[in-house]
Amino acid sequence: MYRKKIKKALKQAVFQLPMPSFEKISNTPVTKLLEHDFITTQEPTKQKVQNSISRVIAVVCVCCGLFFAFGMGWFAQNCVIDSKIMLDVNPSIEITTNHKDCVLEVKGLNEDARTLLAGKKYRGQGLSQAIESLMNLLTEDDYLTESKNTILLSVQNKNTQHSQQLEKNISDYIRASLEQQHIIPNIIDQLIIFNQEEEDTARQYQISPGKIRYINGILAYRHDYTLEQLAVMNMEDLANLFEDADDFGDNDDDREDSSDDEDQDDPEEDSSDEEQDDTDNDDEHVEKKQSGVIKPSNKLPQKPPQQEDFSNDDSEYDSSWEEESDYYDFSDDGPDSVDDSAIDD
Amino acid sequence: MLLFCAVGGNSPSKHSIQPKFDESLIRRIGEEDQDALEELYIKTGRAVYSFVLSIVRNPADTQDIVQETYLKIRAAAHLYQPMGKPLAWIFTIARNLARTKLAQGNLLLSAEDCKIEEDPQYSYISDPDDKMVLESALKILSQEERQVILLHCVAGMKHRELASNLGQPLSTVLSRYNRALKKLKKHLLEQGVL
């Protein structure tokens, strides 16, 4: 109530005070200012200052955002691991590359590899240059020779197409490098995405996850070996085991049939068994694909087939019995049974 | 065309003219548009008067300064840069003129020296209670409180407009207004006016 009274009183009081005459204001001659003086100067309003500051802050934020975006883009292009390549001879070497297939890091996974790579820097190098350097090191230390020429190449990349291209390129680089040393490499390549379990196991045994995957392939059929035994083998020996593993089918009957076939040495039966083996291999390929392997492109080692030469074979082979009956019937002493004395001769 | 009477104030209308106007008025004044000047004077005259009165605290100087303010507006209107707050610019001119006058010591009367009831300038105020209230406001309140209460009560400016044109936070304006009213109420009760 008092507020209203006070407000009303003030209003009435001031309204009754005389105001300057408009006519005097409008008729008094004035000199136009050329520029603002200290009386008429326009002070930038706080809002304008705030707007200016806000604008500056906005520009700074945008610049920071752009810088961050470009920085992140550059980082993603150049520093983020895009592919992992593993080379196993006996030294196990891991190469990581960026999106442009430039080397980020080359590290040894076991003692031999670490010794081999001591003091070497590969960051920023192209892949071909790095592979050539590594092949030179491996040949200098006799890890790779004309007789010991097996290399396990494992490539990991989310993009399958890129993986395949990378695998092909690296294989070419390896062959080109070793050609100068007159070594024809036996490259076993695999395109895979490793799981955590394989990586942990690889770390435990100080080998590459690629080698672990290869060893697991052997252990699937060779139950007479353990992971510990295979982990310390070089690729040459592992490749031989893998070849032998093909003879160890899932079916025990097949194993018996193959051993029987070796004894009889019948070419026709041998070829049919080989066909059976090929079929089994195909099944293994399918099984491997189903288990998550992207493409085991070359499962079998590419060794030239060793032709058996019996011309100088001094093994005990008596061809005289071929003229006899095809089989011996030990069931009874029938008219077709052969005289034991003839056999002894 | 409305002419504003120089002698004898007008009784306040029920609905005070709020000093809201378009910035284009100032541009037109710069082009020597008399109608624009008159419109500006009608809309803002009382607010400028209240503002200056809160600084110098006597009507005679207030009248002179208000007149000089509008003359300055005429002289500098063509230089005005639209910033969205033309009334703030007018207040700036009025404040600078008032401070210059205070600094020069050319005040005709000081509120401490002369009582309103004896001051002939206040003889235009018919109601003695109104006179007492105005005297109390000019005497006991601070300059900021005087500004806020006179501009709100006399010129009819809302608190938000005051905050915007005076460049002060709204909360500050509100607190000053409430404090001023409390002071006035207490003083006037003690004086037996209310």
Side-chain angles (χ1 to χ4, degrees), chain B residues 165-178:
Chain B
N165 285 292
L166 296 177
Q168 294 165 9
L170 178 61
S171 56
T172 304
V173 168
L174 286 169
S175 67
R176 281 176 183 165
Y177 176 73
N178 288 323

Side-chain angles (χ1 to χ4, degrees), chain A residues 3 7 9 11-12 14-17 19-20 22 25-26 28 32-33 36-40 42 46, chain B residues 9-10 16 30 32 34 41 46 49 72 74-75 78-81 89 96 124-126 130 153 177-178:
Chain A
R3 286 189 170 211
K7 285 165 72 173
K11 194 171 185 178
Q12 285 176 164
V14 175
F15 260 82
Q16 289 175 38
L17 293 174
M19 287 281 291
F22 174 74
I25 290 171
S26 65
T28 303
K32 295 271 192 185
L33 297 175
H36 281 299
D37 57 13
F38 74 99
I39 300 286
T40 62
Q42 279 186 268
K46 282 188 182 176
Chain B
N10 290 335
S16 304
E32 302 290 339
Q34 289 288 88
Y41 186 66
R46 195 53 74 176
Y49 188 93
K72 274 291 187 181
R74 280 183 57 200
H78 63 289
L79 299 171
Y80 176 75
Q81 296 292 328
W89 181 55
N96 291 337
Y124 300 103
I125 304 173
S126 54
D130 294 345
C153 299
Y177 176 73
N178 288 323

Side-chain angles (χ1 to χ4, degrees), chain A residues 141-178:
Chain A
D141 285 10
D142 289 333
Y143 288 112
L144 281 174
T145 62
E146 287 182 21
S147 56
K148 290 191 300 179
N149 59 351
T150 303
I151 302 172
L152 176 65
L153 168 63
S154 309
V155 178
Q156 175 180 275
N157 188 293
K158 288 176 186 173
N159 186 323
T160 309
Q161 205 172 349
H162 189 68
S163 289
Q164 291 171 346
Q165 187 61 45
L166 208 56
E167 172 206 19
K168 180 184 175 305
N169 292 342
I170 295 172
S171 298
D172 292 342
Y173 299 149
I174 291 173
R175 288 195 187 89
S177 302
L178 293 179

